[in-house]
Amino acid sequence: MKSATKTKKFEYYALGFSQRNAKDAPAFILFHAPASELIEWADVDRLEPENPTGAQRPLRDLKVKKVAKFLDADPRNTIPTAIVVALDGKSVSFNAKESDDNRGKHGKLVLTMTGDVKPGLIIDGQHRAFGVAKHSATLHLNIVAFIDDDDAERAFQFVVINNSASRVSRDHIRALNLSFDKDELNSRLVQSAGVTLGMKDSKYEDYQYVDSLPPFKGMLNWPTNKNGYIAPNAIESALAETRDRATLLGIEDLERDFFLAIWSRIKNQFQAAWHEHTPERPSHLLQKVTIIVLTIYVLDSLEAAQRMSDQPLDFANERTFETGVDRVLKRIPLDFWTVEWQQKELDTSQGRTVLLDALKTIDSNSRYNRPWYDRVSLVDPGDLAGQYDRKVKKKKIVKKAAKKRGS
């Protein structure tokens, strides 16, 4: 006996109105719903090769995390911007009462989900929806819905909404006669969204954003930070390199988060070297030259992978990103960062070339099963001889024992 198809209903109090009096203009329904419910009954019609009528761009993990990070940063942070959703007329019931002044309707909106068929499609705001859900599934979102089954109307709304967005100019903000504590508000804006009111230049924004988030949180060498040891201009230069490659890597508007994500993977890979360089505990990993050059090395490697791929690689996708970065990092031994380097002053154009060449040589050695330090000018093999001789001898002993057992 065939089982009955399950149905599930979602009820909300809503406002309805028509923005235009034209016959074919869609009417709007305004309401709010928990992020988890929105994702449950609304699909995302993404533009992909197998779905040419999809309106949305692919979901990008970095953007989702950025929204969640914004909400995590401060309990006062909210997202007033509405999610735009298209509703299937056959699955919608809006039992509404006309207002006395004929300005709109208000009443109960019921959405019916039959089986796995979702009655809604997110036209704009997928990253906000998934980002809010990542922060808190019960947090409510404002929703503006229209009832329309036309693919062309959905695509039209998407293009208009996304092409109309623009950043408020700094001059405009400076001209506003507002009463606020500039330092306090700037601090909150930088920590939450990576922007300021325009009172400071872009370098200030970069420094504050990077210094307020992992993996560099509280580590920049400010005059006011006695525990900081990372040169701020190293961050500036590394971010400039990231921005230069943003278009090639498809990470426009995500440069800061992409840079931080790269260095989070680096920290994860070389945790034992993630500390200040001292004579007692040497580590070159967080020195200025390394932050710049290792960023360049990873970016160039991702760019090369992009060129070699028949299909575009979406580095804003978490799995694609982590796979690409980890593949580059795993060939670099931890010892490279902790052994003494033969050349001391590397914070020059020539010194950066030396370090970049060393990383390329190490990569080649790994691929062809040579000792990682072979032909690496920065390293004296004598400093490693005892350590690696012990490993080689151990392997030989194991091989001899295996031969004896086999004879």
Side-chain angles (χ1 to χ4, degrees), residues 69-350:
K69 195 184 296 180
F70 167 79
L71 293 170
D72 292 341
D74 194 309
R76 297 172 295 174
N77 290 353
T78 58
I79 298 179
T81 313
I83 310 298
V84 180
V85 176
L87 296 175
D88 179 3
K90 299 185 292 293
S91 304
V92 176
S93 169
F94 186 32
N95 185 15
K97 178 184 178 182
E98 195 78 39
S99 65
D100 295 337
D101 53 8
N102 293 321
R103 290 188 177 184
K105 303 176 181 179
H106 59 91
K108 182 181 288 187
L109 171 69
V110 180
L111 307 178
T112 302
M113 182 172 166
T114 305
D116 296 327
V117 180
K118 299 185 178 185
L121 279 174
I122 297 176
I123 303 302
D124 180 67
Q126 61 167 334
H127 293 100
R128 273 171 280 146
F130 283 87
V132 169
K134 186 177 182 68
H135 167 76
S136 171
T138 59
L139 197 65
H140 283 234
L141 282 161
N142 298 318
I143 299 169
V144 173
F146 63 93
I147 301 174
D148 202 300
D149 301 322
D150 185 8
D151 286 338
E153 179 66 21
R154 291 200 295 267
F156 173 82
Q157 294 290 347
F158 171 77
V159 172
V160 169
I161 290 168
N162 285 277
N163 278 349
S164 298
S166 60
R167 184 171 177 171
V168 179
S169 72
R170 294 173 184 270
D171 290 340
H172 184 102
I173 295 173
R174 289 192 186 100
L176 294 176
N177 294 315
L178 299 176
S179 176
F180 53 78
D181 183 321
K182 296 176 183 178
D183 290 335
E184 180 183 348
L185 188 52
N186 261 324
S187 177
R188 181 184 172 197
L189 283 168
V190 169
Q191 183 181 12
S192 301
V195 299
T196 70
L197 283 173
M199 282 64 173
K200 307 289 185 179
D201 60 18
S202 59
K203 290 181 184 178
Y204 175 85
E205 293 182 17
D206 288 343
Y207 292 157
Q208 289 294 89
Y209 192 63
V210 170
D211 198 36
S212 65
L213 296 169
F216 295 115
K217 185 173 182 179
M219 297 175 67
L220 268 60
N221 185 18
W222 300 114
T224 54
N225 182 13
K226 64 179 182 180
N227 297 318
Y229 55 87
I230 292 177
N233 56 357
I235 302 299
E236 178 189 346
S237 297
L239 271 171
E241 297 288 348
T242 307
R243 289 192 174 99
D244 285 346
R245 294 161 176 78
T247 301
L248 296 173
L249 295 173
I251 57 166
E252 300 94 325
D253 301 322
L254 295 171
E255 293 91 338
R256 288 176 186 157
D257 297 276
F258 196 76
F259 168 73
L260 292 177
I262 287 174
W263 276 90
S264 291
R265 300 308 298 171
I266 292 171
K267 179 181 180 181
N268 184 66
Q269 180 73 21
F270 306 115
Q271 183 70 52
W274 192 267
H275 57 80
E276 184 177 7
H277 177 77
T278 64
E280 297 77 21
R281 296 182 68 208
S283 174
H284 306 287
L285 183 61
L286 296 176
Q287 292 179 333
K288 177 183 175 182
V289 64
T290 302
I291 290 175
I292 298 170
V293 173
L294 189 52
T295 299
I296 292 172
Y297 181 66
V298 172
L299 291 171
D300 286 350
S301 299
L302 296 180
E303 188 181 326
Q306 186 75 275
R307 288 197 303 271
M308 295 297 291
S309 176
D310 292 332
Q311 298 295 327
L313 298 176
D314 181 11
F315 288 121
N317 175 275
E318 188 170 17
R319 180 175 294 180
T320 303
F321 167 80
E322 290 184 355
T323 300
V325 174
D326 290 353
R327 184 181 291 122
V328 177
L329 299 178
K330 71 179 183 181
R331 299 191 183 98
I332 307 172
L334 174 64
D335 293 334
F336 177 63
W337 305 118
T338 57
V339 72
E340 182 181 0
W341 285 356
Q342 298 304 298
Q343 191 168 334
K344 304 300 182 185
E345 298 299 328
L346 291 172
D347 190 19
T348 63
S349 177
Q350 182 179 358

Side-chain angles (χ1 to χ4, degrees), residues 33-89:
S36 58
E37 287 189 13
L38 170 62
I39 293 172
E40 186 175 357
W41 56 254
D43 212 340
V44 180
D45 198 23
R46 298 193 180 101
L47 181 62
E48 296 170 338
E50 61 272 17
N51 184 24
T53 62
Q56 280 277 27
R57 290 169 286 199
L59 190 69
R60 314 193 81 181
D61 295 329
L62 279 177
K63 285 191 174 183
V64 172
K65 286 184 176 180
K66 191 170 185 176
V67 173
K69 195 184 296 180
F70 167 79
L71 293 170
D72 292 341
D74 194 309
R76 297 172 295 174
N77 290 353
T78 58
I79 298 179
T81 313
I83 310 298
V84 180
V85 176
L87 296 175
D88 179 3

